[in-house]
Amino acid sequence: MARMTSSSLDPAIAARLKRSADGLVPAIAQQYDTGEVLMLGWMDDEALHRTLTTGRCTYWSRSRREYWVKGDTSGHVQHVKSVALDCDADTLLVKVDQVGAACHTGARTCFDADVLPLAADQAG
Amino acid sequence: MARMTSSSLDPAIAARLKRSADGLVPAIAQQYDTGEVLMLGWMDDEALHRTLTTGRCTYWSRSRREYWVKGDTSGHVQHVKSVALDCDADTLLVKVDQVGAACHTGARTCFDADVLPLAADQAG
């Protein structure tokens, strides 16, 4: 279900947004200058509103069930550079300037540690 | 629910994968050399298996409820360069070599057309 019965998100954007059954949209965070894909988080309408208006990336934490301003506890802030909605209006791409590590493990991105094996004849 | 009761995915990977309630994992497709984020699709175990073993990005289409080998109808193939699982094992990053446009609209990426406005004092 949606987190809130209403949010402050621009109604013109809210009307277009296609949410999952639990009211969320996946948000890809990408380092704006290097192009690194840093992480994927989830936003409801209010998290998107805060991301668009505060300059700080804000997600909905599905495990903690609360808003999560990236970097508030770690210092690893994401300064928002741009936000784009995809052609189906069901995914967000947020270009950010990431301070320090994006991943809670201390790695620069959440995708650094676990590269899956390709079939030998497909590699490269 | 999961698409299939079983798939050919390596059991060691399948055991780690954390799927949504409908048995899927979001997969971010990124152009391997330029870093462009091209699109987000969804994979179940079998789609991931095919992506790892055929060299062609394969998704589960939620709207058509079928496997979808990217480019089979459009020619806009995604050749797989690498696949990584994130720190929570619930998101995939697939680096690809995209032939032509990734987006069904003909745009290079699915995020080219719809940049959302930031609050004026947050821009840049």
Side-chain angles (χ1 to χ4, degrees):
Chain A
M1 81 223 94
R3 298 306 127 204
M4 304 183 66
T5 51
S6 68
S7 88
S8 304
L9 182 64
D10 179 343
I13 298 172
R16 280 153 51 211
L17 212 57
K18 288 184 195 142
R19 305 161 193 81
S20 65
D22 51 2
L24 300 172
V25 173
I28 303 163
Q30 180 182 33
Q31 176 66 27
Y32 80 104
D33 50 1
T34 64
E36 292 162 291
V37 174
L38 300 166
M39 56 172 281
L40 183 138
W42 296 84
M43 293 186 187
D44 66 358
D45 287 33
E46 180 63 22
L48 175 56
H49 172 69
R50 295 182 192 181
T51 297
L52 290 170
T53 56
T54 66
R56 292 276 302 279
C57 229
T58 304
Y59 302 98
W60 174 259
S61 169
R62 296 180 300 172
S63 54
R64 298 194 304 272
R65 303 191 60 79
E66 63 184 16
Y67 292 105
W68 164 44
V69 182
K70 175 74 178 168
D72 259 4
T73 54
S74 65
H76 296 166
V77 172
Q78 292 177 337
H79 296 290
V80 177
K81 294 289 188 176
S82 67
V83 182
L85 194 55
D86 80 338
C87 55
D88 294 325
D90 63 7
T91 304
L92 295 159
L93 177 62
V94 186
K95 294 192 181 182
V96 303
D97 194 7
Q98 172 72 56
V99 175
C103 187
H104 72 284
T105 64
R108 172 66 179 169
T109 91
C110 293
F111 299 97
D112 289 353
D114 196 357
V115 177
L116 301 180
L118 299 182
D121 58 340
Q122 304 301 335
Chain B
M1 82 224 91
R3 298 308 127 204
M4 304 183 67
T5 51
S6 68
S7 88
S8 305
L9 182 64
D10 179 343
I13 298 172
R16 280 153 51 210
L17 212 56
K18 287 183 196 144
R19 305 161 193 81
S20 64
D22 51 2
L24 300 172
V25 172
I28 303 163
Q30 181 183 32
Q31 175 66 28
Y32 81 104
D33 51 0
T34 64
E36 292 163 291
V37 174
L38 299 166
M39 55 172 282
L40 183 139
W42 295 84
M43 293 186 186
D44 66 358
D45 287 32
E46 180 62 22
L48 174 56
H49 171 69
R50 295 183 191 181
T51 297
L52 290 170
T53 55
T54 66
R56 292 274 304 276
C57 230
T58 304
Y59 301 98
W60 174 260
S61 169
R62 297 180 300 173
S63 55
R64 297 194 305 272
R65 303 191 60 78
E66 62 183 16
Y67 293 105
W68 163 46
V69 182
K70 175 72 179 169
D72 259 5
T73 54
S74 66
H76 295 167
V77 171
Q78 293 176 337
H79 296 290
V80 177
K81 295 289 187 175
S82 67
V83 182
L85 194 55
D86 80 339
C87 55
D88 293 324
D90 63 7
T91 304
L92 294 159
L93 177 62
V94 186
K95 294 192 183 183
V96 303
D97 194 8
Q98 171 73 55
V99 175
C103 187
H104 72 283
T105 63
R108 171 66 179 170
T109 91
C110 293
F111 300 97
D112 288 353
D114 196 357
V115 177
L116 302 180
L118 301 181
D121 58 340
Q122 304 300 335

